[in-house]
Amino acid sequence: MTSLLPRRTVLASLTAVSAAALLAACSDSGGSAQAQTSASSGAAVPAARGTVDMAKLVAEGSLPDQVIGNADAPVTIVEYASMTCGHCANFHRDTLPVIKKDYVDTGKVRMIFREFPFDPRAEAAFMLARCSDDKYFAMIDVLFQQQNNWAGVENASEALLQIARLAGFSQESFEACLTNQKLLDDVRAVRQRGANDFGVDATPTFFINGNKYSGALTVAEMSAIIDSML
């Protein structure tokens, strides 16, 4: 893992990362799982790429987990994502709303969202979501929806500030959040744990009842996996 950077590096580096570098950082080793399915309602269940111990997976790490859904749901999905990853944004825009309506809101699925940033801009976005307290998922949704407006622009600091203001941030609270070294360390620790303990090396990566899937699963693919576990 990259060594920890100086205190103000995340805030300062928001103007220094090129769009090309961000695109290169968005890793996605998915593809083969998607090729095993069809888009029909009778989609085959994609093959998992290994399994992990569920008790270890759901144990709390350096930051409290961000969770939606019933704690007693029969299916638990843990997603590792990067805020600058286009595949992650596509999943959150196109697939998650349907999965939430059909499975999370009906008590069948609990979803745990974890940070796996590939670059300082993704780190900054996650930090802002954490600093927004009860607006965490609202911030994540907005940041993914507006990803093109901040992730690849020359001055991401100003773009992120404008988004953060909508969630109630001031200039001062924005800068305080992005210079919080402990929060940065904790976000990086979430990523390090995902990589070291569970083999996460691409985003998005999903663990569905302990089975590992890489890549932005479609509605049909994720539904087939969930249905097979109900």
Side-chain angles (χ1 to χ4, degrees), residues 86 147 162 191 204 207 220:
Q147 189 184 73
Q162 296 310 311
R191 172 180 171 164
F207 294 93

Side-chain angles (χ1 to χ4, degrees), residues 17 50 61-62 95 107 132-133 150 184 228:
V17 182
S62 59
T95 301
S132 67
D133 298 323
W150 63 269
L184 175 59
S228 73

Side-chain angles (χ1 to χ4, degrees), residues 128 132 135 139 142-143 146 157-175:
L128 290 170
S132 67
K135 299 185 181 72
M139 279 290 290
V142 171
L143 288 164
Q146 298 191 27
S157 179
E158 182 60 31
L160 284 171
L161 175 59
Q162 296 310 311
I163 295 172
R165 286 189 187 279
L166 299 176
F169 284 81
S170 64
Q171 177 83 40
E172 292 74 20
S173 60
F174 175 82
E175 293 183 0

Side-chain angles (χ1 to χ4, degrees), residues 25-29 80-82 85 87-88 116 118 200-205 215-216:
C26 183
S27 175
D28 182 359
S29 61
Y80 282 89
S82 179
C85 172
H87 301 290
C88 301
F116 201 86
F118 278 113
V200 179
D201 60 2
T203 58
T205 290

Side-chain angles (χ1 to χ4, degrees), residues 16-105:
V17 182
S18 70
L22 292 172
L23 291 174
C26 183
S27 175
D28 182 359
S29 61
S32 62
Q34 296 186 9
Q36 298 176 48
T37 71
S38 72
S40 69
S41 59
V45 179
R49 299 183 176 185
T51 61
V52 299
D53 180 82
M54 274 297 292
K56 185 177 181 181
L57 179 66
V58 300
E60 193 165 288
S62 59
L63 287 169
D65 276 329
Q66 297 292 331
V67 185
I68 57 173
N70 191 330
D72 298 323
V75 177
T76 294
I77 300 174
V78 177
E79 177 191 0
Y80 282 89
S82 179
M83 292 307 304
T84 52
C85 172
H87 301 290
C88 301
N90 290 339
F91 174 80
H92 277 258
R93 285 193 299 255
D94 302 333
T95 301
L96 183 58
V98 179
I99 297 301
K100 184 177 183 299
K101 178 176 69 73
D102 291 348
Y103 296 99
V104 177
D105 295 346

Side-chain angles (χ1 to χ4, degrees), residues 189-214:
V190 173
R191 172 180 171 164
Q192 186 170 14
R193 179 186 175 215
N196 293 348
D197 293 358
F198 309 120
V200 179
D201 60 2
T203 58
T205 290
F206 303 95
F207 294 93
I208 305 179
N209 278 4
N211 295 326
K212 180 182 179 182
Y213 303 88
S214 295

